Amino acid sequence: MRKTMFSSIYHTLLLLLICFLLHKPTQGIKKSYIVYLGPQSYGSSLSTLDVQSVTNSHYNLLSSYVGSTKKAKKSIFYSYSKYFNGFAAVLDEDEAAMVAKHPNVVSIFLNKARELHTTHSWDFLGLERNGVIQKSSLWNKTKGEDIIIGNLDTGVWPESKSFSDEGMGPVPSRWRGICDVDKNNTDEFHCNRKLIGARYFYKGYLANLDPNGNISFHSARDIDGHGSHTLSTAGGNFVANATVFGNGKGTVSGGSPKARVAAYKVCWPPLAVGGGCYEADILAAYEAAISDGVDVLSVSLGGKNVEFLESSISIGSFHAVAEGIVVVSSTGNSGPTPFSASNLEPWIITVAASTMDRSFTSYVTLGNKKIFKGSSLSESKLQPHKFYPLISAVDAKAVDASASNALVCKNGTLDPNKAKGKIIICLRGDNDRTDKGVQAAHAGAVGMVLVNNEETGNEILADPHVLPASHLTFKDGTYLFNYINITKSPMASISRVETQLGVKPAPVMASFSSRGPNILDPSILKPDITAPGVDIVAAFSEVASPSEQKSDKRKSSFISLSGTSMSCPHVSGVVGLIKSLHPDWSSAAIKSAIMTTARIKDNTGKLLLDSSLENATPFAYGAGHIQPNRAVDPGLVYDLNVTDYMNYLCNRGYEGSHLSVFYRKPYTCPKYFNLLDFNYPTILIPNFKIRHSINVTRTLTNVGPPSTYKVRIAVPREVFVSVEPKVLHFKAKGEKREFRVTLNLRSLTNHSNDYVFGRLDWTDGKHHVRSYIAIKPQL
């Protein structure tokens, strides 16, 4: 009886406790958001009081949802008040939902992480020789000291010789930027007449991490190396006798070697997983760069494609372009998968990556005298012509390791008793390429042959391995595996690295370079252009590991990296030179000049190849490979202005307050706008019905002397194209002429709905103004 009574009371109390817990108000999970408001009324010339007034309006708006102005000030960690109107704040889900309903809130989106577009070792014009962009004669035409190139990245190593201000004049008086250091400058970070500005933005990053983490946020110093590499590629000064562990000795420089440069640090460690470059910090950096007065912004980062309204890169770059700044960005490293291209905004120059005709070569010779050409930047070397036992990593696996993990040489999977004194074959994939070498070295191997899996095919990269190593193609790797399987005592040697020039064919599209079609808008060709992005030598951070492995304590002033992060600043540097020669050209005119003068043939005279050694398409290389000397004198350009871009957004369904995210004044969409007539330098028509006719209009602007241009048409036989008029007469610079292209798709013999490609070429005998045509049949 007593036991039953206590049991009844216990169950009653338990039920009451459960009910209490179920109905107790819970604090929502806090996340950081970017809140974008309608246009502020002050314009771009804000005083300090104006800025504070806008910031106070942000506090007032948020205070009604978080309970007080004090709480609002604690919640808001960025107030965007100069070129944008909005704020970044830490909110719970309920608060964010309520803020989103405020009549002045146009857009609210999560402060997500973006990523750098370098392949690193996971899945500059190099002026000792480049062959694709050789030493530019543009340097003889302009000093370029009037141009300022900004770089959004991991910061900068200011002591690098690439940022020496030797021989440079005073900083341009129009520069409004600063060299941002902590009050005691414990980092001893200094700017000069070359590196004229440095800022760092970390609050968006910190809002998503443990605030007690062991990271110093009070410096724009580059501890990763990526930012120094990209900034020096765009605008680094001349440095003689630069090498990477003794390889590739020569003079390096950026595309605009006499330009002023400024670093905007938005990326923080760890960078390998998900990226450490947050939307809120990126938007803050864009606002600062615009205010500081840069001419070019190089942005080697990106991520998952989202609608422009929800992207700080889209919003920031639009405002930059509206202020006359050219924005260049990388297409990403998710190739060769179709639809993987990122940074798809039509107002951005989006850059793919390809090889050059210089390679860092290391040969693998087998016991049967078979020789394979690989790539490497290993500092150490084996005894010349000495052969060592060659084994697969699977044959050196530890007892408790799986064969699949051992094959790719993961940490702890190799048995030193089996690996010692041998050359180990490791398969590419899963872990870092350089980590495989570290694991092989820890197990006592004397060398490593890194071989591609089928997916990575023919793409081989020169990495600074910690032991003698060479990177071979999938085909060559298959031969090696067969060799060790059928040979009683397989042997091999690895040669020391040598720098080879005049490599053919070049350029070849990098396998990692992200591909089109454009997943957000298939009527806009992306990427726009390709440039060198494989084994690029440029400045590096002298506290970073060259191989990105903690156990690697080596230091190097210069390093070779690969990725669209490396190709992007090549184009940024060229843009700087063009802008110096043609300061009155719009961002779109410069983009058109680069695209319409690009080439689609390699140094053997054949069409550009993919890494598979099959013909590449515009979805890999855009308009082709950049040719700087031709881009400064294109003859004609396809120009666009802010109104054109606003009409483009109207066509995407933007209206009213959504347009105010991009434009600081009320904008009324036109009653009619045909996207086919958007004056882009390429013509792309998805879902073209067979036996239907489509008219496309374009306008060309003369940027050269008076001349007469005639059109040439090259299209596959399935497509009929006519152009009217066929001749364009230009009597003066700045004159515009319109032409109409009529396209008709005939019956397809192979019944395929794959894209077909053609090209228009307007020429006066000296200039060639080329525009790609891409059509996808709708069956």
Side-chain angles (χ1 to χ4, degrees):
M1 174 86 179
R2 195 171 175 184
K3 182 177 180 182
T4 303
M5 182 180 70
F6 280 122
S7 175
S8 176
I9 294 172
Y10 169 78
H11 284 294
T12 301
L13 291 173
L14 181 62
L15 286 172
L16 289 171
L17 177 62
I18 292 172
C19 290
F20 171 77
L21 291 173
L22 286 175
H23 291 89
K24 180 184 177 182
T26 58
Q27 181 69 38
I29 298 174
K30 295 280 188 178
K31 295 181 180 179
S32 56
Y33 295 83
I34 297 173
V35 180
Y36 213 98
L37 308 172
Q40 42 92 345
S41 58
Y42 293 100
S44 59
S45 301
L46 276 77
S47 66
T48 303
L49 289 175
D50 294 335
V51 171
Q52 189 58 54
S53 177
V54 175
T55 300
N56 287 338
S57 71
H58 298 161
Y59 294 148
N60 291 337
L61 185 152
L62 188 59
S63 65
S64 59
Y65 299 106
V66 297
S68 69
T69 302
K70 182 178 180 180
K71 289 182 178 179
K73 288 182 177 181
K74 184 179 179 180
S75 176
I76 293 176
F77 55 90
Y78 280 127
S79 176
Y80 308 111
S81 55
K82 292 183 179 179
Y83 293 86
F84 321 129
N85 183 18
F87 57 86
V90 175
L91 306 168
D92 64 35
E93 293 180 359
D94 291 340
E95 290 168 343
M98 290 188 292
V99 169
K101 295 177 182 178
H102 191 282
N104 291 344
V105 172
V106 176
S107 176
I108 180 170
F109 53 94
L110 280 171
N111 173 34
K112 303 180 295 297
R114 295 285 185 152
E115 60 189 19
L116 296 170
H117 280 164
T118 310
T119 65
H120 289 265
S121 62
W122 27 275
D123 294 312
F124 237 13
L125 277 85
L127 288 179
E128 72 282 354
R129 170 82 174 189
N130 183 304
V132 181
I133 304 180
Q134 293 182 356
K135 184 173 180 179
S136 177
S137 62
L138 302 183
W139 295 338
N140 299 323
K141 299 178 182 178
T142 175
K143 290 189 69 176
E145 289 190 16
D146 53 329
I147 294 301
I148 303 169
I149 299 176
N151 191 46
L152 270 64
D153 214 300
T154 65
V156 63
W157 189 260
E159 294 83 5
S160 171
K161 291 182 180 179
S162 291
F163 307 117
S164 167
D165 63 357
E166 184 178 352
M168 300 198 73
V171 174
S173 59
R174 63 185 177 87
W175 176 245
R176 300 181 296 273
I178 61 171
C179 194
D180 196 4
V181 296
D182 66 59
K183 62 180 180 180
N184 297 319
N185 198 13
T186 54
D187 190 36
E188 296 186 359
F189 188 106
H190 299 284
C191 295
N192 56 28
R193 297 190 307 275
K194 174 67 173 178
L195 176 63
I196 62 174
R199 295 179 184 266
Y200 51 95
F201 305 87
Y202 63 88
K203 295 177 182 177
Y205 172 81
L206 191 62
N208 285 270
L209 295 179
D210 177 9
N212 299 314
N214 185 26
I215 299 174
S216 173
F217 294 104
H218 302 295
S219 174
R221 182 173 293 280
D222 179 15
I223 61 171
D224 173 78
H226 190 278
S228 302
H229 197 282
T230 53
L231 184 55
S232 63
T233 301
N237 213 334
F238 294 101
V239 181
N241 301 315
T243 73
V244 181
F245 303 127
N247 300 302
K249 184 177 181 180
T251 299
V252 298
S253 87
S256 290
K258 291 301 179 182
R260 318 298 176 135
V261 295
Y264 297 87
K265 184 173 181 177
V266 297
C267 299
W268 304 84
L271 298 168
V273 182
C277 323
Y278 279 82
E279 297 269 5
D281 297 328
I282 293 170
L283 194 60
Y286 264 110
E287 184 171 61
I290 297 169
S291 179
D292 288 348
V294 302
D295 300 297
V296 184
L297 267 177
S298 193
V299 186
S300 289
L301 50 88
K304 183 180 179 181
N305 290 306
V306 295
E307 185 53 50
F308 304 139
L309 191 65
E310 299 175 354
S311 165
S312 62
I313 291 179
S314 300
I315 296 168
S317 62
F318 191 101
H319 284 271
V321 169
E323 295 296 325
I325 299 168
V326 184
V327 180
V328 186
S329 201
S330 45
T331 192
N333 301 328
S334 300
T337 306
F339 297 99
S340 58
S342 63
N343 293 319
L344 305 175
E345 298 81 358
W347 49 88
I348 282 179
I349 302 177
T350 308
V351 188
S354 37
T355 66
M356 62 178 76
D357 74 340
R358 185 264 289 129
S359 68
F360 298 113
T361 300
S362 177
Y363 292 95
V364 176
T365 303
L366 303 183
N368 63 3
K369 309 302 181 184
K370 185 78 173 178
I371 300 174
F372 299 93
K373 181 179 179 181
S375 288
S376 182
L377 271 172
S378 298
E379 183 180 14
S380 55
K381 49 188 178 290
L382 296 175
Q383 185 176 332
H385 311 299
K386 182 176 179 179
F387 283 78
Y388 300 83
L390 177 70
I391 64 171
S392 166
V394 172
D395 296 326
K397 85 176 190 69
V399 174
D400 58 348
S402 67
S404 59
N405 284 340
L407 181 60
V408 294
C409 297
K410 286 188 174 181
N411 182 23
T413 62
L414 302 179
D415 185 345
N417 294 320
K418 300 175 183 178
K420 187 175 181 179
K422 299 180 176 68
I423 294 175
I424 290 186
I425 304 174
C426 297
L427 184 68
R428 185 175 178 180
D430 287 4
N431 55 328
D432 300 1
R433 298 187 302 273
T434 52
D435 178 57
K436 300 173 191 294
V438 169
Q439 302 311 319
H442 284 172
V446 297
M448 176 189 71
V449 180
L450 172 63
V451 300
N452 278 346
N453 51 31
E454 188 171 8
E455 182 182 4
T456 48
N458 296 307
E459 177 187 80
I460 55 176
L461 302 170
D463 292 316
H465 295 285
V466 297
L467 80 173
S470 188
H471 186 179
L472 301 183
T473 66
F474 171 70
K475 180 181 177 181
D476 293 344
T478 301
Y479 185 97
L480 261 65
F481 283 123
N482 289 335
Y483 168 72
I484 61 175
N485 287 335
I486 65 174
T487 305
K488 185 177 181 181
S489 299
M491 306 288 284
S493 68
I494 301 174
S495 73
R496 65 177 298 172
V497 177
E498 58 185 77
T499 304
Q500 294 189 339
L501 311 176
V503 175
K504 294 183 179 181
V508 174
M509 293 308 303
S511 175
F512 61 75
S513 186
S514 293
R515 289 351 191 228
N518 182 331
I519 197 169
L520 289 183
D521 186 349
S523 63
I524 299 294
L525 178 66
K526 289 288 179 175
D528 293 306
I529 196 75
T530 189
V534 178
D535 297 340
I536 304 302
V537 175
F540 199 58
S541 169
E542 294 189 28
V543 295
S545 162
S547 64
E548 301 172 16
Q549 304 303 315
K550 290 182 179 180
S551 60
D552 182 7
K553 304 302 181 183
R554 297 174 298 170
K555 304 301 175 189
S556 181
S557 299
F558 295 90
I559 204 65
S560 170
L561 293 177
S562 298
T564 54
S565 278
M566 284 62 252
S567 58
C568 166
H570 275 81
V571 176
S572 302
V574 173
V575 168
L577 290 175
I578 297 173
K579 200 167 181 67
S580 180
L581 289 168
H582 304 288
D584 58 330
W585 284 12
S586 69
S587 175
I590 292 174
K591 178 177 183 175
S592 173
I594 289 173
M595 292 177 68
T596 59
T597 59
R599 72 181 190 190
I600 60 169
K601 292 186 177 180
D602 60 27
N603 57 2
T604 71
K606 296 181 180 179
L607 294 176
L608 291 179
L609 299 176
D610 256 323
S611 57
S612 63
L613 301 184
E614 298 177 352
N615 286 345
T617 75
F619 292 134
Y621 54 68
H625 209 275
I626 190 169
Q627 298 193 96
N629 293 328
R630 293 183 181 271
V632 296
D633 183 22
L636 308 173
V637 296
Y638 294 91
D639 207 358
L640 289 163
N641 56 34
V642 173
T643 300
D644 296 313
Y645 295 130
M646 291 298 290
N647 291 342
Y648 171 84
L649 292 174
C650 289
N651 184 263
R652 287 192 64 77
Y654 287 47
E655 58 184 4
S657 60
H658 285 170
L659 290 173
S660 68
V661 171
F662 300 90
Y663 206 56
R664 287 183 298 184
K665 297 183 293 185
Y667 188 82
T668 302
C669 291
K671 293 182 179 179
Y672 176 76
F673 175 79
N674 187 352
L675 186 58
L676 289 173
D677 297 334
F678 185 61
N679 207 39
Y680 213 68
T682 53
I683 298 172
L684 205 157
I685 306 174
N687 301 318
F688 195 157
K689 294 182 180 179
I690 297 176
R691 298 187 182 90
H692 278 64
S693 180
I694 290 179
N695 292 323
V696 177
T697 300
R698 289 290 186 271
T699 301
L700 283 164
T701 302
N702 184 34
V703 292
S707 195
T708 297
Y709 286 80
K710 296 180 181 179
V711 70
R712 296 176 179 175
I713 304 171
V715 292
R717 60 189 182 88
E718 296 94 340
V719 182
F720 173 79
V721 176
S722 65
V723 177
E724 290 296 334
K726 294 178 174 60
V727 178
L728 297 177
H729 301 282
F730 293 92
K731 297 179 181 179
K733 185 178 290 188
E735 199 169 24
K736 298 179 182 293
R737 290 287 182 266
E738 185 180 284
F739 65 92
R740 186 179 72 244
V741 182
T742 301
L743 304 101
N744 191 288
L745 190 62
R746 299 165 177 165
S747 297
L748 299 178
T749 55
N750 59 0
H751 300 287
S752 170
N753 66 338
D754 288 340
Y755 276 90
V756 293
F757 303 97
R759 195 162 66 165
L760 298 181
D761 179 6
W762 288 97
T763 180
D764 63 352
K766 176 185 178 182
H767 304 94
H768 288 270
V769 187
R770 301 183 179 98
S771 298
Y772 258 105
I773 300 173
I775 294 173
K776 188 177 190 294
Q778 182 180 0
L779 299 180

